[in-house]
């Protein structure tokens, strides 16, 4: 079992994540991109690149993958990506007459790129720390990475949301080991920046379905362990 934290790997990961975030959000590097959705996706690529680099350089083995501990990739994909895509776009079509599929997909891909870093590497590397300390460190680095340091009420609230997110998404990571699953939970914050009754209903429905699926998943894993031991 891993007992030591590789602080050099964390420093390397975070430096890369910050550099890419600065280049894609605070400079004119992406101004020439005519495809706005690709530009959005590239703004979240830093954590993924940082994680992939440190996994390679420091010979670290990732605990998470796209499918996680599910038997196949199709199950988490249908549950955590296809369900919200179909639900959100269907409701949008019947309420607005539009289908913003590129926007929905880009939010999920953006969230996946972030989660490859935050849960796929950083949380994993800090797993020997107590849960609260792990969450605070991840949330703090996550907050700073956004490069928005205005001391406003909304920013402080955002930091609180990140701490809660570090804990909640961390639980999803521990339960599923699936990057697709954690990306879906992460994407909820980006899907529902501004809430109305319809969006609240969608949010409650998705959270209910996903939380129930996690409960069922835990029972299945426990049964598998008992059968293995028995």
């Amino acid at each position: 079992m891993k007992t030591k934290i590789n602080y050099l790997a964390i420093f390397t990961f975070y430096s890369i994540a910050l550099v890419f975030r600065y280049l894609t959000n605070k400079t004119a590097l992406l101004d020439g991109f005519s495809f706005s959705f690709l530009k959005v996706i590239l703004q979240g690529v830093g954590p993924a690149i940082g994680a992939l680099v440190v996994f390679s350089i420091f010979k670290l083995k990732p605990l998470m993958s796209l499918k996680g501990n599910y038997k196949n990739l199709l199950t988490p994909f249908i549950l955590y990506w296809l369900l919200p895509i179909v639900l959100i776009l269907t409701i949008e079509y019947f309420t607005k007459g539009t289908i913003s599929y590129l926007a929905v997909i880009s939010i999920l891909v953006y969230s996946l790129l972030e989660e490859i870093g935050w849960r796929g590497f950083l949380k994993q590397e800090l797993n020997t720390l107590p849960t609260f300390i792990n969450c605070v460190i991840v949330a703090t680095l996550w907050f700073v990475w956004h490069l928005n340091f205005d001391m406003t009420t909304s920013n402080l609230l955002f930091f609180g949301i990140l701490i809660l997110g570090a804990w909640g998404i961390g639980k999803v990571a521990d339960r599923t080991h699936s990057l697709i699953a954690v990306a879906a939970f992460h994407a909820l914050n980006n899907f529902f920046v501004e809430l109305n009754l319809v969006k609240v209903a969608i949010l409650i429905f998705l959270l209910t379905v996903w939380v129930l699926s996690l409960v069922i998943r835990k029972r299945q894993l426990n049964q598998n362990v008992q059968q293995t031991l028995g």
Side-chain angles (χ1 to χ4, degrees):
M1 179 181 291
K2 177 181 172 62
T3 57
K4 293 184 178 180
I5 297 173
N6 192 328
Y7 291 102
L8 181 57
I10 291 176
F11 176 79
T12 303
F13 154 75
Y14 197 60
S15 297
I16 293 172
L18 278 179
V19 167
F20 273 87
R21 182 67 175 182
Y22 179 81
L23 291 175
T24 57
N25 287 262
K26 299 298 183 179
T27 72
L29 181 65
L30 300 182
D31 285 356
F33 279 73
S34 57
F35 191 37
S36 60
F37 297 111
L38 178 59
K39 182 177 179 180
V40 169
I41 290 172
L42 290 175
Q43 289 176 338
V45 77
I49 293 178
L52 295 176
V53 167
V54 296
F55 281 138
S56 176
I57 292 177
F58 296 96
K59 309 301 180 184
L60 302 174
K61 183 179 180 181
L63 297 178
M64 300 186 67
S65 65
L66 291 176
K67 77 178 187 67
N69 56 24
Y70 292 92
K71 291 183 178 180
N72 55 68
L73 181 61
L74 192 59
T75 301
F77 177 77
I78 291 175
L79 179 61
Y80 294 108
W81 278 40
L82 190 59
L83 174 61
I85 289 173
V86 172
L87 180 62
I88 291 171
L89 293 183
T90 299
I91 293 177
E92 179 191 359
Y93 177 75
F94 283 105
T95 57
K96 298 181 180 180
T98 58
I99 301 179
S100 305
Y101 67 94
L102 286 177
V104 174
I105 293 172
S106 65
I107 288 174
L108 285 167
V109 174
Y110 174 94
S111 301
L112 175 62
L113 292 172
E114 277 203 50
E115 286 304 317
I116 290 173
W118 305 129
R119 251 57 60 180
F121 166 71
L122 185 58
K123 177 192 178 300
Q124 168 185 324
E125 193 59 35
L126 298 173
N127 266 347
T128 54
L129 297 177
T131 301
F132 177 74
I133 296 176
N134 186 313
C135 290
V136 170
I137 293 175
V138 171
T140 300
L141 295 180
W142 193 4
F143 177 80
V144 173
W145 174 81
H146 284 87
L147 301 179
N148 184 0
F149 307 112
D150 296 334
M151 296 304 294
T152 61
T153 302
S154 60
N155 236 13
L156 293 175
L157 178 60
F158 179 58
F159 179 62
I161 291 174
L162 291 185
I163 292 179
L164 182 61
W167 174 80
I169 301 177
K171 290 292 184 183
V172 178
D174 291 338
R175 188 67 52 81
T176 68
H177 293 177
S178 171
L179 291 168
I180 284 183
V182 296
F185 277 88
H186 182 143
L188 289 178
N189 182 61
N190 297 325
F191 279 138
F192 306 112
V193 176
E194 297 179 359
L195 293 175
N196 55 40
L197 288 177
V198 174
K199 290 182 178 180
V200 169
I202 298 174
L203 179 62
I204 292 174
F205 175 78
L206 289 175
L207 283 175
T208 301
V209 171
W210 289 349
V211 170
L212 286 175
S213 72
L214 291 174
V215 172
I216 294 172
R217 186 66 186 155
K218 183 179 181 180
R219 291 178 179 175
Q220 291 175 337
L221 293 174
N222 289 339
Q223 288 175 356
N224 292 338
V225 171
Q226 290 173 0
Q227 291 174 357
T228 300
L229 295 176

